[in-house]
Amino acid sequence: MIHREESGKSHGYVADKQRVAARLKRVEGQVRAITRMVEDDTYCIDVLTQISACDKALKSVALLLLNDHLNHCVRTAVSQGGDIADDKLKEAEDAIARLVRS
């Protein structure tokens, strides 16, 4: 089973929390704008262009979170060694695989 951070412990993105939240709010706004475009019968290529931009924005947030995870959560687990390190490395590997497939 993959080890998760326990309550009370900080996550890797804690230092970037405001930046992550701001980026996600921008993405949320982009999604609302895409919905309006569809409701307004906007030309399909223009809608697809905005979907692509939204996808890139989400991937940018994902990479920021992944970087923070590697530099905090994984680094900490590796320093502890053992099963915790193995689990955290596997968790990061799986997350990277999901990002690459998306």
Side-chain angles (χ1 to χ4, degrees):
M1 181 173 185
I2 300 295
H3 174 73
R4 303 265 186 234
E5 294 291 321
E6 296 174 21
S7 295
K9 290 187 177 182
S10 66
H11 298 290
Y13 60 86
V14 71
D16 288 322
K17 188 174 181 177
Q18 288 182 330
R19 192 163 70 158
V20 169
R23 286 184 179 193
L24 288 172
K25 286 180 186 198
R26 273 195 305 265
V27 170
E28 182 181 6
Q30 285 179 290
V31 171
R32 281 195 306 271
I34 292 167
T35 301
R36 280 192 304 276
M37 291 174 79
V38 170
E39 290 169 349
D40 294 343
D41 296 321
T42 302
Y43 184 58
C44 51
I45 296 300
D46 295 337
V47 175
L48 289 169
T49 299
Q50 290 308 308
I51 290 171
S52 177
C54 188
D55 181 54
K56 287 178 185 173
L58 271 176
K59 285 182 180 174
S60 174
V61 173
L63 289 174
L64 174 61
L65 288 169
L66 179 61
N67 186 57
D68 286 347
H69 179 69
L70 291 172
N71 284 303
H72 176 268
C73 303
V74 174
R75 186 182 301 267
T76 299
V78 167
S79 71
Q80 294 171 349
D83 289 342
I84 291 173
D86 292 342
D87 288 348
K88 201 56 77 174
L89 287 169
K90 175 70 171 129
E91 182 181 61
E93 179 183 303
D94 292 345
I96 293 167
R98 284 191 302 274
L99 285 172
V100 170
R101 283 192 302 265
S102 63

